[in-house]
């Protein structure tokens, strides 16, 4: 029997860079998971699915952190910090997933930390010196419209 599914070959990660992760649902999940003070009453398979979702988010945000750090000048101290943060993320993601509250909360903390680091890198990134081109030829840039 042959499969009709095809794998996507994207070794340079172009698609991942262009498709932003929807952050709000992950932040809601992180908040809920970290709010558990005891047994949430979920089956181990459900906990493993949540851990799997958070693992995917962590890997995607880690890629975003790498791309944001690459935008910084080579001598910027945050670039070295990015390597440390990403090495730690890789180490934590290499630990086998389990269907436990502890595992899910660990993944949630990792995604939260990666988002925090990403926000810092984006804030530290140099802003482009050239204003963006209008979306349509002949359109007036928004900054011009606001200045009048």
């Amino acid at each position: 029997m042959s499969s009709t599914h095809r794998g996507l070959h994207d070794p340079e990660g172009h698609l991942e860079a262009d498709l932003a992760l929807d952050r709000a649902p992950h932040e809601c999940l992180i908040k809920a998971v970290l709010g558990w003070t005891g047994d949430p009453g979920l089956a181990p398979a459900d906990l493993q699915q949540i851990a799997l979702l958070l693992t995917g988010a962590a890997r995607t945000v880690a890629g975003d952190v790498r791309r944001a750090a690459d935008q910084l000048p080579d001598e910027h101290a945050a670039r070295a910090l990015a390597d440390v943060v990403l090495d730690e993320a890789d180490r934590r993601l290499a630990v086998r997933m389990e269907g436990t509250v502890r595992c899910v909360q660990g993944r949630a903390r990792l995604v939260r930390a990666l988002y925090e680091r990403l926000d810092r890198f984006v804030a530290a990134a140099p802003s482009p010196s050239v204003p963006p081109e209008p979306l349509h030829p002949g359109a007036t840039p928004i900054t011009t419209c606001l200045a009048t």
Side-chain angles (χ1 to χ4, degrees), residues 50-142:
I50 295 169
L52 185 62
L53 176 70
L54 291 170
T55 298
R59 292 188 192 288
T60 302
V61 177
D64 292 345
V65 168
R66 169 53 55 210
R67 284 184 289 282
D70 288 345
Q71 298 298 313
L72 298 174
D74 289 338
E75 64 279 356
H76 201 288
R79 285 189 73 137
L81 180 59
D83 290 333
V84 172
V85 168
L86 294 171
D87 287 345
E88 175 66 12
D90 286 342
R91 185 189 66 72
R92 291 172 63 183
L93 289 170
V95 175
R96 189 173 72 83
M97 277 191 307
E98 299 172 352
T100 64
V101 171
R102 181 175 181 235
C103 177
V104 171
Q105 287 180 330
R107 300 291 164 127
R109 283 187 202 92
L110 175 60
V111 176
R112 182 180 64 185
L114 286 168
Y115 271 132
E116 289 169 357
R117 182 56 47 200
L118 177 62
D119 292 343
R120 289 187 189 125
F121 285 136
V122 169
S127 58
S129 58
V130 178
E133 292 187 23
L135 295 175
H136 303 287
T140 305
I142 188 75

